[in-house]
Amino acid sequence: QKEVEQNSGPLSVPEGAIASLNCTYSDRGSQSFFWYRQYSGKSPELIMFIYSNGDKEDGRFTAQLNKASQYVSLLIRDSQPSDSATYLCAVKADTGFQKLVFGTGTRLLVSP
Amino acid sequence: DVKVTQSSRYLVKRTGEKVFLECVQDMDHENMFWYRQDPGLGLRLIYFSYDVKMKEKGDIPEGYSVSREKKERFSLILESASTNQTSMYLCASNAPGTGRSSYEQYFGPGTRLTVT
């Protein structure tokens, strides 16, 4: 079992819809959870992070964390074509150094 | 603004060559990381460093070595390049407790290495 799992997609949504991206992780002691966005040919950039169970909102983005079920999700409201990218879920493990474990990413396509 | 730079955007090398990839960050970060990114495999950690002259193996260190002689510079070395090392290489840095979150990693633009 991979440590951080994501559906590779592509996830296709029409402009204006809500895009829901999911991520599960295996290390129950994981502390911190991150969502990075990566445009084609570019490097990842952080868009959201969450530590506590529940929801965290930042503009059109909402991160949701459920530690009991070991999943974290990212909702993008009012999706725009410019949101088309690969979204990487990353988890900071409970043990070890400050390294992040990344999922393989979900490709999101927002059609006009 | 945090800036992480990498020495080349594109690099073509021959099998057996020794290859140096350099990464420089300008924010006095203690931690630096080297990843490779391949389709379907995501970002995989090769090596990381938490201080000058200190290094730790990541998940896939075989065939690679690193050097960190100065705090701002972290080099990845392919001792004898092979075709299976053709990949996108990404450098990142962070300093715990700074940035928008602890552990946020700032990435360089990447080096696309092709070994023929």
Side-chain angles (χ1 to χ4, degrees), chain B residues 8-42:
Chain B
S8 305
R9 289 286 280 129
Y10 300 94
L11 207 54
V12 180
K13 295 292 181 181
R14 292 182 181 259
T15 302
E17 279 193 81
K18 191 169 186 176
V19 182
F20 292 86
L21 303 181
E22 292 213 319
C23 174
V24 177
Q25 50 90 7
D26 66 357
M27 287 302 293
D28 202 34
H29 284 171
E30 289 89 347
N31 309 322
M32 297 188 74
F33 308 82
W34 273 107
Y35 295 90
R36 63 178 283 178
Q37 187 173 31
D38 302 286
L41 297 177

Side-chain angles (χ1 to χ4, degrees), chain B residues 99-112:
Chain B
R100 287 184 288 165
S101 71
S102 295
Y103 314 118
E104 175 184 0
Q105 293 184 13
Y106 299 87
F107 285 85
T111 296
R112 183 163 294 282

Side-chain angles (χ1 to χ4, degrees), chain B residues 50-63:
Chain B
Y50 52 91
D51 201 353
V52 175
K53 298 190 185 295
M54 305 304 288
K55 60 185 179 184
E56 291 286 341
K57 292 180 180 180
D59 300 318
I60 52 164
E62 297 78 18

Side-chain angles (χ1 to χ4, degrees), chain A residues 32 34 36 38 41 43-44 46 49 51 88 92 97-100 102 104, chain B residues 9 31 33 35 37 40 45 48 50 59 96 100-105 108:
Chain A
S32 312
F34 303 82
Y36 281 80
Q38 186 175 25
S43 55
L46 183 70
F49 64 94
Y51 302 140
L88 304 173
K92 161 69 174 67
F97 189 61
Q98 294 134 13
K99 63 177 192 175
L100 300 179
F102 286 84
T104 54
Chain B
R9 289 286 280 129
N31 309 322
F33 308 82
Y35 295 90
Q37 187 173 31
L45 182 64
F48 60 96
Y50 52 91
D59 300 318
R100 287 184 288 165
S101 71
S102 295
Y103 314 118
E104 175 184 0
Q105 293 184 13

Side-chain angles (χ1 to χ4, degrees), chain B residues 76-89:
Chain B
L76 180 69
I77 303 155
L78 285 66
E79 297 290 343
S80 177
S82 63
T83 55
N84 63 13
Q85 293 179 309
T86 292
S87 185
M88 171 68 84
Y89 290 87

